[in-house]
Amino acid sequence: MRISADQGRCLGAGQCVLSAPDRFDQSELGLVEVLDPEVPEGDEQRFRDILDLCPSQALSLEA
Amino acid sequence: MSVLPEYPQARSCPFHPASGYADYAPVSKVRLYNGREVWAVTGHAEARQVLLDPATYSSDRVHPHYPALAPRFESARKVRNFIGMDPPEHTAQRRMLLSSFTVKRTNALRPRIQTLVDGLLDEIEAKGPVADLVPDFALPVPSIVICELLGVPYADHAFFEHQSRRVVTGSTTLEESADAFAQLKAYLDELIQRKQREPGDGLLDTLIAEQVATGGLTRAELVDIALLLLVAGHETTASAIALGVVTLLEHPHQLAALRSDPRLLPTAVEELLRFMAIADGIARFATADADLAGHRVRAGDGVVVVIATANRDGEAFPSPAAFAVDRGARHHVSFGHGVHQCIGQNLARAEMEIALGTLFRRLPGLRLARDLADLPIKEAGGVQGVWELPVTW
Ligand code: HEM
Ligand code: HEM
Ligand code: SF4
């Protein structure tokens, strides 16, 4: 699975960066940037929980 | 017809939600001060459902259907900024500010916040006990931080702290809040005009250069945004710091656990946010008919999301009434959820971590100088907390 981010929905709360600073960053404009989209097998639930914290539903997991 | 419970209800303990509507979970009708009946959303899943759906549950504070939770909300209808707007209008304004509130930018403020906290504690130690931590510590930290961030002279703090307090206090009358808003607006308008002539280096100066000068915002719009940031930036966080001290002192085993492992500080702050829920509840109104936990909500109905009880929902948080510094749960709704989720949340976290961590490290014998039961509690329907916090060490 891969993490997909929609900058059009992001409102810069930074929850993703707090959860996984190795995976997410924020651009100069304050919008989400995915540093590494690969979700290792077995780690899907951890990432679903992280994505669920995003208040603007800007993040999803794709096959 | 049975009598509906009232919203809001005063807390009897400053860190526990009022018990009066917990029996009505997850969604029920309550009565506001003016007799209006609205939906109280007390369940966690239902709170998220409402907050994630701004198309159905509007934040438009100017709209007559937007419920006034207390008399002073009526005068808020004259202030137009993104906390009271729906997308896409909301989104355009919020995005103008995002770059100043990223995790990186707020972390860069940490050394400055640390210096500030150390300086305040030097003064408290030099004066000796008893200290009232509200005016001497909890209020000046966020107040100075938001002033520096915005470019508002801290020398004016007594004025805007007083006026902001009148804006966010539950018992403030309509006339008082209208006057407080008018005074804050006049002050900020003058400040912004002065900055247009003599630019500084705060966020307001950036917004003048990037937005007002290019037609992206009018000066009046910037005044209302500045008002939001100034009020939201210090009253909430000041309450959270002061009530955080009380909550930790009243849970000595948890405080001891935190002291023995300072790495727990971020999760302890997160748990304080969940547990205290200082923004007790937030209002919306339905723009269309909708189903909510089996109830039929009608277009025009008012809705209040009761943050304090959503954070104590056993479905979402095991043993919800227990305060546990190692809980590690970030899905509380203390900063809201959805598009309006607090823009200042990472700044608030940084201020709480540094203020509370440093206070308990430097004053290991810290204790209340008055019984918990005798601390004056903030009124229902406003930011929750204590008015005074006398301590000794
Ligand atoms: C421009 C001005 C305002 C700003 C920036 C502002 C901002 C905030 C923020 C960020 C919070 C915490 C989150 C929330 O509960 O919404 C808050 C809480 C609150 N604000 Fe405001 N607010 C403003 C105006 C008002 C006005 C005009 C009123 C009332 C007339 C008001 C009443 C409240 C209340 C009651 C709470 C706590 C909610 C509760 O505990 O039930 N605010 N405000
Ligand atoms: C512990 C401290 C704080 C708490 C509990 C808190 C709580 C909240 C809540 C619940 C909301 C959502 C309101 C809604 O959905 O209607 C909110 C929004 C907001 N807060 Fe905070 N807040 C805190 C600190 C701050 C700080 C430090 C700032 C400013 C620097 C700030 C600025 C704002 C703004 C501008 C909004 C409106 C966001 C939007 O509508 O998009 N808050 N806050
Ligand atoms: S959590 Fe969501 S809204 Fe917040 S920065 Fe990340 S993607 Fe954007």
PDB file of all heavy atoms in Angstrom, chain A residues 7-8 10-11 13-15 18-19 25-26 28-31 52-53 55 57, chain B residues 48 52 94-95 98-99 102-104 330-331 337-339 341 345-346 349:
ATOM      1  N   GLN A   7      -3.284  17.738  -1.472  1.00  0.00           N
ATOM      2  CA  GLN A   7      -2.973  19.079  -0.957  1.00  0.00           C
ATOM      3  C   GLN A   7      -4.178  20.005  -1.042  1.00  0.00           C
ATOM      4  O   GLN A   7      -4.287  20.960  -0.283  1.00  0.00           O
ATOM      5  CB  GLN A   7      -1.807  19.690  -1.733  1.00  0.00           C
ATOM      6  CG  GLN A   7      -0.451  19.161  -1.301  1.00  0.00           C
ATOM      7  CD  GLN A   7       0.672  20.125  -1.672  1.00  0.00           C
ATOM      8  OE1 GLN A   7       0.471  21.021  -2.482  1.00  0.00           O
ATOM      9  NE2 GLN A   7       1.835  19.922  -1.093  1.00  0.00           N
ATOM     10  N   GLY A   8      -5.082  19.697  -1.962  1.00  0.00           N
ATOM     11  CA  GLY A   8      -6.284  20.527  -2.120  1.00  0.00           C
ATOM     12  C   GLY A   8      -7.197  20.468  -0.904  1.00  0.00           C
ATOM     13  O   GLY A   8      -7.965  21.388  -0.649  1.00  0.00           O
ATOM     14  N   CYS A  10      -5.874  19.540   2.307  1.00  0.00           N
ATOM     15  CA  CYS A  10      -5.068  19.762   3.510  1.00  0.00           C
ATOM     16  C   CYS A  10      -5.300  21.163   4.076  1.00  0.00           C
ATOM     17  O   CYS A  10      -5.328  22.143   3.342  1.00  0.00           O
ATOM     18  CB  CYS A  10      -3.586  19.593   3.169  1.00  0.00           C
ATOM     19  SG  CYS A  10      -2.477  20.028   4.516  1.00  0.00           S
ATOM     20  N   LEU A  11      -5.451  21.239   5.423  1.00  0.00           N
ATOM     21  CA  LEU A  11      -5.598  22.542   6.063  1.00  0.00           C
ATOM     22  C   LEU A  11      -4.536  22.773   7.128  1.00  0.00           C
ATOM     23  O   LEU A  11      -4.696  23.576   8.034  1.00  0.00           O
ATOM     24  CB  LEU A  11      -7.013  22.694   6.629  1.00  0.00           C
ATOM     25  CG  LEU A  11      -7.982  23.051   5.492  1.00  0.00           C
ATOM     26  CD1 LEU A  11      -9.403  22.723   5.856  1.00  0.00           C
ATOM     27  CD2 LEU A  11      -7.844  24.520   5.109  1.00  0.00           C
ATOM     28  N   ALA A  13      -3.102  21.249   9.702  1.00  0.00           N
ATOM     29  CA  ALA A  13      -3.133  21.042  11.145  1.00  0.00           C
ATOM     30  C   ALA A  13      -1.849  20.369  11.635  1.00  0.00           C
ATOM     31  O   ALA A  13      -1.496  20.476  12.806  1.00  0.00           O
ATOM     32  CB  ALA A  13      -4.351  20.206  11.544  1.00  0.00           C
ATOM     33  N   GLY A  14      -1.169  19.664  10.747  1.00  0.00           N
ATOM     34  CA  GLY A  14       0.121  19.070  11.109  1.00  0.00           C
ATOM     35  C   GLY A  14       0.022  17.790  11.909  1.00  0.00           C
ATOM     36  O   GLY A  14       1.021  17.310  12.456  1.00  0.00           O
ATOM     37  N   GLN A  15      -1.152  17.196  11.989  1.00  0.00           N
ATOM     38  CA  GLN A  15      -1.299  15.937  12.739  1.00  0.00           C
ATOM     39  C   GLN A  15      -0.409  14.856  12.154  1.00  0.00           C
ATOM     40  O   GLN A  15       0.181  14.055  12.878  1.00  0.00           O
ATOM     41  CB  GLN A  15      -2.758  15.452  12.693  1.00  0.00           C
ATOM     42  CG  GLN A  15      -3.753  16.380  13.338  1.00  0.00           C
ATOM     43  CD  GLN A  15      -3.796  16.237  14.838  1.00  0.00           C
ATOM     44  OE1 GLN A  15      -2.951  15.558  15.429  1.00  0.00           O
ATOM     45  NE2 GLN A  15      -4.745  16.880  15.466  1.00  0.00           N
ATOM     46  N   LEU A  18       3.176  15.244  13.220  1.00  0.00           N
ATOM     47  CA  LEU A  18       3.344  14.843  14.618  1.00  0.00           C
ATOM     48  C   LEU A  18       3.394  13.321  14.731  1.00  0.00           C
ATOM     49  O   LEU A  18       4.165  12.770  15.504  1.00  0.00           O
ATOM     50  CB  LEU A  18       2.170  15.338  15.474  1.00  0.00           C
ATOM     51  CG  LEU A  18       2.108  16.801  15.869  1.00  0.00           C
ATOM     52  CD1 LEU A  18       0.989  17.003  16.880  1.00  0.00           C
ATOM     53  CD2 LEU A  18       3.420  17.279  16.460  1.00  0.00           C
ATOM     54  N   SER A  19       2.553  12.634  13.952  1.00  0.00           N
ATOM     55  CA  SER A  19       2.467  11.181  14.059  1.00  0.00           C
ATOM     56  C   SER A  19       3.689  10.488  13.470  1.00  0.00           C
ATOM     57  O   SER A  19       4.189   9.526  14.027  1.00  0.00           O
ATOM     58  CB  SER A  19       1.240  10.652  13.302  1.00  0.00           C
ATOM     59  OG  SER A  19       0.056  11.213  13.805  1.00  0.00           O
ATOM     60  N   ASP A  25       5.908  15.891   5.850  1.00  0.00           N
ATOM     61  CA  ASP A  25       6.454  17.221   6.131  1.00  0.00           C
ATOM     62  C   ASP A  25       5.410  18.236   5.652  1.00  0.00           C
ATOM     63  O   ASP A  25       4.386  17.855   5.082  1.00  0.00           O
ATOM     64  CB  ASP A  25       7.786  17.400   5.389  1.00  0.00           C
ATOM     65  CG  ASP A  25       8.609  18.550   5.976  1.00  0.00           C
ATOM     66  OD1 ASP A  25       8.129  19.225   6.915  1.00  0.00           O
ATOM     67  OD2 ASP A  25       9.734  18.778   5.483  1.00  0.00           O
ATOM     68  N   GLN A  26       5.663  19.515   5.935  1.00  0.00           N
ATOM     69  CA  GLN A  26       4.772  20.563   5.447  1.00  0.00           C
ATOM     70  C   GLN A  26       5.571  21.512   4.573  1.00  0.00           C
ATOM     71  O   GLN A  26       6.703  21.872   4.907  1.00  0.00           O
ATOM     72  CB  GLN A  26       4.153  21.320   6.637  1.00  0.00           C
ATOM     73  CG  GLN A  26       3.104  20.504   7.379  1.00  0.00           C
ATOM     74  CD  GLN A  26       2.761  21.110   8.727  1.00  0.00           C
ATOM     75  OE1 GLN A  26       3.612  21.240   9.595  1.00  0.00           O
ATOM     76  NE2 GLN A  26       1.501  21.476   8.914  1.00  0.00           N
ATOM     77  N   GLU A  28       6.424  25.095   2.353  1.00  0.00           N
ATOM     78  CA  GLU A  28       6.502  26.507   2.740  1.00  0.00           C
ATOM     79  C   GLU A  28       5.108  27.108   2.936  1.00  0.00           C
ATOM     80  O   GLU A  28       4.897  27.987   3.760  1.00  0.00           O
ATOM     81  CB  GLU A  28       7.252  27.300   1.663  1.00  0.00           C
ATOM     82  CG  GLU A  28       8.768  27.229   1.805  1.00  0.00           C
ATOM     83  CD  GLU A  28       9.251  27.789   3.129  1.00  0.00           C
ATOM     84  OE1 GLU A  28       8.951  28.969   3.408  1.00  0.00           O
ATOM     85  OE2 GLU A  28       9.903  27.055   3.902  1.00  0.00           O
ATOM     86  N   LEU A  29       4.141  26.616   2.154  1.00  0.00           N
ATOM     87  CA  LEU A  29       2.769  27.117   2.260  1.00  0.00           C
ATOM     88  C   LEU A  29       2.008  26.460   3.403  1.00  0.00           C
ATOM     89  O   LEU A  29       0.848  26.783   3.646  1.00  0.00           O
ATOM     90  CB  LEU A  29       2.019  26.882   0.950  1.00  0.00           C
ATOM     91  CG  LEU A  29       2.506  27.674  -0.258  1.00  0.00           C
ATOM     92  CD1 LEU A  29       1.729  27.283  -1.516  1.00  0.00           C
ATOM     93  CD2 LEU A  29       2.353  29.179   0.000  1.00  0.00           C
ATOM     94  N   GLY A  30       2.644  25.488   4.065  1.00  0.00           N
ATOM     95  CA  GLY A  30       1.984  24.829   5.181  1.00  0.00           C
ATOM     96  C   GLY A  30       1.160  23.622   4.769  1.00  0.00           C
ATOM     97  O   GLY A  30       0.370  23.113   5.561  1.00  0.00           O
ATOM     98  N   LEU A  31       1.346  23.133   3.532  1.00  0.00           N
ATOM     99  CA  LEU A  31       0.546  21.998   3.052  1.00  0.00           C
ATOM    100  C   LEU A  31       1.356  20.707   3.095  1.00  0.00           C
ATOM    101  O   LEU A  31       2.581  20.703   2.952  1.00  0.00           O
ATOM    102  CB  LEU A  31       0.055  22.268   1.627  1.00  0.00           C
ATOM    103  CG  LEU A  31      -0.832  23.518   1.499  1.00  0.00           C
ATOM    104  CD1 LEU A  31      -1.226  23.748   0.051  1.00  0.00           C
ATOM    105  CD2 LEU A  31      -2.071  23.406   2.383  1.00  0.00           C
ATOM    106  N   ASP A  52      -6.404   8.520  10.006  1.00  0.00           N
ATOM    107  CA  ASP A  52      -7.706   8.819  10.608  1.00  0.00           C
ATOM    108  C   ASP A  52      -7.650  10.103  11.455  1.00  0.00           C
ATOM    109  O   ASP A  52      -8.665  10.743  11.699  1.00  0.00           O
ATOM    110  CB  ASP A  52      -8.113   7.619  11.478  1.00  0.00           C
ATOM    111  CG  ASP A  52      -9.570   7.698  11.882  1.00  0.00           C
ATOM    112  OD1 ASP A  52     -10.409   7.950  10.992  1.00  0.00           O
ATOM    113  OD2 ASP A  52      -9.872   7.523  13.074  1.00  0.00           O
ATOM    114  N   LEU A  53      -6.448  10.473  11.920  1.00  0.00           N
ATOM    115  CA  LEU A  53      -6.308  11.695  12.720  1.00  0.00           C
ATOM    116  C   LEU A  53      -6.337  12.951  11.854  1.00  0.00           C
ATOM    117  O   LEU A  53      -6.535  14.051  12.363  1.00  0.00           O
ATOM    118  CB  LEU A  53      -4.990  11.669  13.505  1.00  0.00           C
ATOM    119  CG  LEU A  53      -4.905  10.750  14.722  1.00  0.00           C
ATOM    120  CD1 LEU A  53      -3.498  10.835  15.322  1.00  0.00           C
ATOM    121  CD2 LEU A  53      -5.932  11.122  15.772  1.00  0.00           C
ATOM    122  N   PRO A  55      -7.609  15.880  10.148  1.00  0.00           N
ATOM    123  CA  PRO A  55      -8.934  16.481  10.315  1.00  0.00           C
ATOM    124  C   PRO A  55      -9.608  16.831   8.994  1.00  0.00           C
ATOM    125  O   PRO A  55     -10.810  17.051   8.964  1.00  0.00           O
ATOM    126  CB  PRO A  55      -8.652  17.735  11.141  1.00  0.00           C
ATOM    127  CG  PRO A  55      -7.251  18.088  10.813  1.00  0.00           C
ATOM    128  CD  PRO A  55      -6.537  16.789  10.579  1.00  0.00           C
ATOM    129  N   GLN A  57      -9.329  14.973   6.104  1.00  0.00           N
ATOM    130  CA  GLN A  57      -9.449  13.781   5.253  1.00  0.00           C
ATOM    131  C   GLN A  57      -8.662  13.943   3.957  1.00  0.00           C
ATOM    132  O   GLN A  57      -9.143  13.644   2.867  1.00  0.00           O
ATOM    133  CB  GLN A  57     -10.922  13.478   4.982  1.00  0.00           C
ATOM    134  CG  GLN A  57     -11.662  13.187   6.292  1.00  0.00           C
ATOM    135  CD  GLN A  57     -13.121  12.869   6.095  1.00  0.00           C
ATOM    136  OE1 GLN A  57     -13.855  13.634   5.473  1.00  0.00           O
ATOM    137  NE2 GLN A  57     -13.556  11.736   6.627  1.00  0.00           N
TER     138      GLN A  57
ATOM    139  N   ARG B  48     -17.365  13.587  15.742  1.00  0.00           N
ATOM    140  CA  ARG B  48     -16.513  13.611  14.540  1.00  0.00           C
ATOM    141  C   ARG B  48     -17.366  13.691  13.277  1.00  0.00           C
ATOM    142  O   ARG B  48     -17.026  14.403  12.332  1.00  0.00           O
ATOM    143  CB  ARG B  48     -15.605  12.383  14.510  1.00  0.00           C
ATOM    144  CG  ARG B  48     -14.375  12.549  15.397  1.00  0.00           C
ATOM    145  CD  ARG B  48     -13.484  11.314  15.372  1.00  0.00           C
ATOM    146  NE  ARG B  48     -13.212  10.824  14.032  1.00  0.00           N
ATOM    147  CZ  ARG B  48     -11.988  10.644  13.522  1.00  0.00           C
ATOM    148  NH1 ARG B  48     -10.928  10.916  14.238  1.00  0.00           N
ATOM    149  NH2 ARG B  48     -11.846  10.182  12.304  1.00  0.00           N
ATOM    150  N   LEU B  52     -16.818  16.698  10.714  1.00  0.00           N
ATOM    151  CA  LEU B  52     -16.226  16.372   9.413  1.00  0.00           C
ATOM    152  C   LEU B  52     -17.128  16.760   8.248  1.00  0.00           C
ATOM    153  O   LEU B  52     -16.750  16.587   7.093  1.00  0.00           O
ATOM    154  CB  LEU B  52     -15.933  14.861   9.322  1.00  0.00           C
ATOM    155  CG  LEU B  52     -14.651  14.388  10.005  1.00  0.00           C
ATOM    156  CD1 LEU B  52     -14.585  12.874  10.013  1.00  0.00           C
ATOM    157  CD2 LEU B  52     -13.409  14.974   9.332  1.00  0.00           C
ATOM    158  N   ARG B  94      -7.980  30.718   5.813  1.00  0.00           N
ATOM    159  CA  ARG B  94      -7.108  29.896   6.656  1.00  0.00           C
ATOM    160  C   ARG B  94      -5.763  29.664   5.973  1.00  0.00           C
ATOM    161  O   ARG B  94      -4.712  29.694   6.619  1.00  0.00           O
ATOM    162  CB  ARG B  94      -7.799  28.568   6.981  1.00  0.00           C
ATOM    163  CG  ARG B  94      -6.903  27.645   7.807  1.00  0.00           C
ATOM    164  CD  ARG B  94      -7.679  26.558   8.511  1.00  0.00           C
ATOM    165  NE  ARG B  94      -6.775  25.573   9.086  1.00  0.00           N
ATOM    166  CZ  ARG B  94      -6.953  24.950  10.241  1.00  0.00           C
ATOM    167  NH1 ARG B  94      -8.015  25.211  10.970  1.00  0.00           N
ATOM    168  NH2 ARG B  94      -6.091  24.070  10.684  1.00  0.00           N
ATOM    169  N   ARG B  95      -5.802  29.460   4.655  1.00  0.00           N
ATOM    170  CA  ARG B  95      -4.548  29.179   3.937  1.00  0.00           C
ATOM    171  C   ARG B  95      -3.574  30.346   3.962  1.00  0.00           C
ATOM    172  O   ARG B  95      -2.377  30.152   3.828  1.00  0.00           O
ATOM    173  CB  ARG B  95      -4.867  28.788   2.503  1.00  0.00           C
ATOM    174  CG  ARG B  95      -5.504  27.435   2.474  1.00  0.00           C
ATOM    175  CD  ARG B  95      -5.280  26.753   1.186  1.00  0.00           C
ATOM    176  NE  ARG B  95      -5.458  25.336   1.435  1.00  0.00           N
ATOM    177  CZ  ARG B  95      -5.587  24.429   0.505  1.00  0.00           C
ATOM    178  NH1 ARG B  95      -5.512  24.788  -0.747  1.00  0.00           N
ATOM    179  NH2 ARG B  95      -5.734  23.172   0.824  1.00  0.00           N
ATOM    180  N   LEU B  98      -1.428  29.542   7.103  1.00  0.00           N
ATOM    181  CA  LEU B  98      -0.874  28.213   7.406  1.00  0.00           C
ATOM    182  C   LEU B  98       0.634  28.189   7.564  1.00  0.00           C
ATOM    183  O   LEU B  98       1.152  27.489   8.434  1.00  0.00           O
ATOM    184  CB  LEU B  98      -1.266  27.212   6.306  1.00  0.00           C
ATOM    185  CG  LEU B  98      -2.691  26.686   6.364  1.00  0.00           C
ATOM    186  CD1 LEU B  98      -2.849  25.575   5.356  1.00  0.00           C
ATOM    187  CD2 LEU B  98      -3.018  26.209   7.775  1.00  0.00           C
ATOM    188  N   SER B  99       1.344  28.946   6.720  1.00  0.00           N
ATOM    189  CA  SER B  99       2.795  28.827   6.753  1.00  0.00           C
ATOM    190  C   SER B  99       3.370  29.258   8.106  1.00  0.00           C
ATOM    191  O   SER B  99       4.455  28.840   8.486  1.00  0.00           O
ATOM    192  CB  SER B  99       3.427  29.622   5.613  1.00  0.00           C
ATOM    193  OG  SER B  99       3.099  30.971   5.762  1.00  0.00           O
ATOM    194  N   THR B 102       3.050  25.894  10.931  1.00  0.00           N
ATOM    195  CA  THR B 102       3.494  24.513  10.686  1.00  0.00           C
ATOM    196  C   THR B 102       4.219  23.980  11.921  1.00  0.00           C
ATOM    197  O   THR B 102       4.636  24.736  12.804  1.00  0.00           O
ATOM    198  CB  THR B 102       4.463  24.447   9.496  1.00  0.00           C
ATOM    199  OG1 THR B 102       5.596  25.250   9.815  1.00  0.00           O
ATOM    200  CG2 THR B 102       3.822  24.947   8.216  1.00  0.00           C
ATOM    201  N   VAL B 103       4.381  22.671  11.958  1.00  0.00           N
ATOM    202  CA  VAL B 103       5.106  22.037  13.060  1.00  0.00           C
ATOM    203  C   VAL B 103       6.525  22.606  13.138  1.00  0.00           C
ATOM    204  O   VAL B 103       7.028  22.927  14.218  1.00  0.00           O
ATOM    205  CB  VAL B 103       5.124  20.500  12.861  1.00  0.00           C
ATOM    206  CG1 VAL B 103       5.986  19.825  13.925  1.00  0.00           C
ATOM    207  CG2 VAL B 103       3.698  19.939  12.896  1.00  0.00           C
ATOM    208  N   LYS B 104       7.158  22.778  11.975  1.00  0.00           N
ATOM    209  CA  LYS B 104       8.522  23.303  11.946  1.00  0.00           C
ATOM    210  C   LYS B 104       8.588  24.723  12.509  1.00  0.00           C
ATOM    211  O   LYS B 104       9.439  25.042  13.343  1.00  0.00           O
ATOM    212  CB  LYS B 104       9.021  23.327  10.481  1.00  0.00           C
ATOM    213  CG  LYS B 104      10.314  22.552  10.273  1.00  0.00           C
ATOM    214  CD  LYS B 104      10.781  22.651   8.815  1.00  0.00           C
ATOM    215  CE  LYS B 104       9.920  21.840   7.885  1.00  0.00           C
ATOM    216  NZ  LYS B 104      10.107  21.953   6.469  1.00  0.00           N
ATOM    217  N   ARG B 330      -4.377  10.522  20.662  1.00  0.00           N
ATOM    218  CA  ARG B 330      -4.482  11.862  20.072  1.00  0.00           C
ATOM    219  C   ARG B 330      -5.815  12.092  19.378  1.00  0.00           C
ATOM    220  O   ARG B 330      -6.005  13.124  18.743  1.00  0.00           O
ATOM    221  CB  ARG B 330      -3.339  12.075  19.061  1.00  0.00           C
ATOM    222  CG  ARG B 330      -1.989  12.335  19.698  1.00  0.00           C
ATOM    223  CD  ARG B 330      -1.284  13.569  19.103  1.00  0.00           C
ATOM    224  NE  ARG B 330      -1.497  13.724  17.680  1.00  0.00           N
ATOM    225  CZ  ARG B 330      -0.754  13.133  16.741  1.00  0.00           C
ATOM    226  NH1 ARG B 330       0.249  12.376  17.068  1.00  0.00           N
ATOM    227  NH2 ARG B 330      -1.032  13.322  15.462  1.00  0.00           N
ATOM    228  N   HIS B 331      -6.759  11.120  19.459  1.00  0.00           N
ATOM    229  CA  HIS B 331      -8.005  11.289  18.706  1.00  0.00           C
ATOM    230  C   HIS B 331      -9.097  12.004  19.506  1.00  0.00           C
ATOM    231  O   HIS B 331     -10.262  11.954  19.139  1.00  0.00           O
ATOM    232  CB  HIS B 331      -8.497   9.956  18.157  1.00  0.00           C
ATOM    233  CG  HIS B 331      -8.709   8.890  19.198  1.00  0.00           C
ATOM    234  ND1 HIS B 331      -7.664   8.302  19.877  1.00  0.00           N
ATOM    235  CD2 HIS B 331      -9.827   8.311  19.675  1.00  0.00           C
ATOM    236  CE1 HIS B 331      -8.159   7.407  20.718  1.00  0.00           C
ATOM    237  NE2 HIS B 331      -9.470   7.398  20.622  1.00  0.00           N
ATOM    238  N   HIS B 337     -12.366  19.058  15.144  1.00  0.00           N
ATOM    239  CA  HIS B 337     -11.996  18.110  14.104  1.00  0.00           C
ATOM    240  C   HIS B 337     -12.536  18.685  12.809  1.00  0.00           C
ATOM    241  O   HIS B 337     -13.361  19.596  12.826  1.00  0.00           O
ATOM    242  CB  HIS B 337     -12.586  16.713  14.401  1.00  0.00           C
ATOM    243  CG  HIS B 337     -11.935  15.617  13.617  1.00  0.00           C
ATOM    244  ND1 HIS B 337     -10.597  15.307  13.751  1.00  0.00           N
ATOM    245  CD2 HIS B 337     -12.414  14.772  12.665  1.00  0.00           C
ATOM    246  CE1 HIS B 337     -10.299  14.305  12.933  1.00  0.00           C
ATOM    247  NE2 HIS B 337     -11.393  13.969  12.256  1.00  0.00           N
ATOM    248  N   GLY B 338     -12.069  18.155  11.678  1.00  0.00           N
ATOM    249  CA  GLY B 338     -12.554  18.700  10.419  1.00  0.00           C
ATOM    250  C   GLY B 338     -11.826  19.983  10.051  1.00  0.00           C
ATOM    251  O   GLY B 338     -10.785  20.316  10.629  1.00  0.00           O
ATOM    252  N   VAL B 339     -12.401  20.730   9.116  1.00  0.00           N
ATOM    253  CA  VAL B 339     -11.669  21.847   8.516  1.00  0.00           C
ATOM    254  C   VAL B 339     -11.325  22.963   9.509  1.00  0.00           C
ATOM    255  O   VAL B 339     -10.378  23.713   9.285  1.00  0.00           O
ATOM    256  CB  VAL B 339     -12.443  22.464   7.318  1.00  0.00           C
ATOM    257  CG1 VAL B 339     -12.600  21.446   6.199  1.00  0.00           C
ATOM    258  CG2 VAL B 339     -13.787  23.012   7.747  1.00  0.00           C
ATOM    259  N   GLN B 341     -10.318  22.468  12.603  1.00  0.00           N
ATOM    260  CA  GLN B 341      -9.467  22.025  13.715  1.00  0.00           C
ATOM    261  C   GLN B 341      -8.396  23.080  13.979  1.00  0.00           C
ATOM    262  O   GLN B 341      -7.759  23.597  13.056  1.00  0.00           O
ATOM    263  CB  GLN B 341      -8.828  20.666  13.430  1.00  0.00           C
ATOM    264  CG  GLN B 341      -8.262  20.068  14.717  1.00  0.00           C
ATOM    265  CD  GLN B 341      -7.543  18.748  14.497  1.00  0.00           C
ATOM    266  OE1 GLN B 341      -6.543  18.699  13.790  1.00  0.00           O
ATOM    267  NE2 GLN B 341      -8.043  17.684  15.104  1.00  0.00           N
ATOM    268  N   GLN B 345      -2.841  24.642  17.288  1.00  0.00           N
ATOM    269  CA  GLN B 345      -2.694  23.498  18.200  1.00  0.00           C
ATOM    270  C   GLN B 345      -1.233  23.139  18.490  1.00  0.00           C
ATOM    271  O   GLN B 345      -0.909  22.765  19.615  1.00  0.00           O
ATOM    272  CB  GLN B 345      -3.435  22.276  17.664  1.00  0.00           C
ATOM    273  CG  GLN B 345      -3.020  21.821  16.285  1.00  0.00           C
ATOM    274  CD  GLN B 345      -3.865  20.621  15.827  1.00  0.00           C
ATOM    275  OE1 GLN B 345      -3.665  19.519  16.263  1.00  0.00           O
ATOM    276  NE2 GLN B 345      -4.804  20.870  14.950  1.00  0.00           N
ATOM    277  N   ASN B 346      -0.360  23.273  17.524  1.00  0.00           N
ATOM    278  CA  ASN B 346       1.026  22.887  17.797  1.00  0.00           C
ATOM    279  C   ASN B 346       1.750  23.947  18.617  1.00  0.00           C
ATOM    280  O   ASN B 346       2.638  23.630  19.407  1.00  0.00           O
ATOM    281  CB  ASN B 346       1.737  22.558  16.488  1.00  0.00           C
ATOM    282  CG  ASN B 346       1.107  21.329  15.860  1.00  0.00           C
ATOM    283  OD1 ASN B 346       0.912  20.320  16.531  1.00  0.00           O
ATOM    284  ND2 ASN B 346       0.715  21.433  14.597  1.00  0.00           N
ATOM    285  N   ARG B 349       0.512  23.158  22.096  1.00  0.00           N
ATOM    286  CA  ARG B 349       1.238  22.000  22.647  1.00  0.00           C
ATOM    287  C   ARG B 349       2.632  22.418  23.127  1.00  0.00           C
ATOM    288  O   ARG B 349       3.069  22.043  24.215  1.00  0.00           O
ATOM    289  CB  ARG B 349       1.397  20.913  21.582  1.00  0.00           C
ATOM    290  CG  ARG B 349       0.126  20.142  21.276  1.00  0.00           C
ATOM    291  CD  ARG B 349       0.405  18.986  20.312  1.00  0.00           C
ATOM    292  NE  ARG B 349      -0.791  18.189  20.128  1.00  0.00           N
ATOM    293  CZ  ARG B 349      -1.600  18.282  19.062  1.00  0.00           C
ATOM    294  NH1 ARG B 349      -1.335  19.128  18.083  1.00  0.00           N
ATOM    295  NH2 ARG B 349      -2.680  17.530  18.985  1.00  0.00           N
TER     296      ARG B 349
END
